[in-house]
Amino acid sequence: MRKNLLRLGVTLAAAAGLSLGAGTSFATPAGPGVSGKIISQTTIGNTDYILRQITIPPGQSTGWHYHDGTLYGFVQHGTLSHFDSDCQADGVYKAGHSLTEPSGADHVHIGRNLGKTDVVLDVLYVLPHGAPLSEDAPNPGCDFQ
């Protein structure tokens, strides 16, 4: 399954031709217990492909952030609530659903687990070679973390 997800992500990235904001607030860290484990990674040309499993416990979040490349996610377990920098939900993803996060500082977002069980995601990062997995961003003014 993970090999198929990696192949799918690589294919999608190739098909798409893929390659923070200012403020006085501090970056927001991920909540306690949020963890990530790299499953596989490879570099082709100037692009890093990293497959990672992320676990978000109930009541926790990823913290506000953005990515320097596109991400392709698949929800293995739980329900992920995803919010954009306008403080609006831009998706609720249940087990079995996929999501895409576009790249760039103009796509600041947060993933939250509002449920009672862990959210477990398989995520393919398609990043410029050497880029970090994510870039911290300040809370854009939302009344939640």
Side-chain angles (χ1 to χ4, degrees):
M1 170 74 178
R2 286 193 170 93
K3 263 188 180 175
N4 288 340
L5 180 61
L6 182 58
R7 281 189 200 130
L8 172 63
V10 170
T11 301
L12 288 172
L18 302 173
S19 26
L20 164 84
T24 58
S25 305
F26 293 103
T28 58
V34 174
S35 63
K37 176 183 171 188
I38 293 178
I39 307 294
S40 177
Q41 66 184 60
T42 191
T43 300
I44 301 172
N46 290 323
T47 304
D48 292 336
Y49 299 90
I50 302 165
L51 182 61
R52 186 172 181 230
Q53 187 167 79
I54 300 169
T55 301
I56 306 169
Q60 300 304 319
S61 74
T62 61
W64 290 96
H65 66 281
Y66 66 91
H67 308 280
D68 294 324
T70 303
L71 271 67
Y72 302 94
F74 180 79
V75 182
Q76 290 285 349
H77 184 75
T79 301
L80 177 71
S81 296
H82 199 272
F83 296 83
D84 63 21
S85 62
D86 291 331
C87 308
Q88 300 298 312
D90 61 358
V92 176
Y93 305 94
K94 297 180 179 186
H97 290 121
S98 61
L99 63 140
T100 302
E101 293 181 348
S103 65
D106 54 336
H107 293 287
V108 171
H109 59 274
I110 190 169
R112 299 176 67 204
N113 180 352
L114 303 176
K116 298 187 185 303
T117 62
D118 284 353
V119 169
V120 179
L121 307 166
D122 285 339
V123 179
L124 176 66
Y125 296 73
V126 181
L127 301 169
H129 180 62
L133 295 174
S134 65
E135 303 273 2
D136 288 341
N139 182 326
C142 304
D143 62 357
F144 57 84
Q145 183 69 358

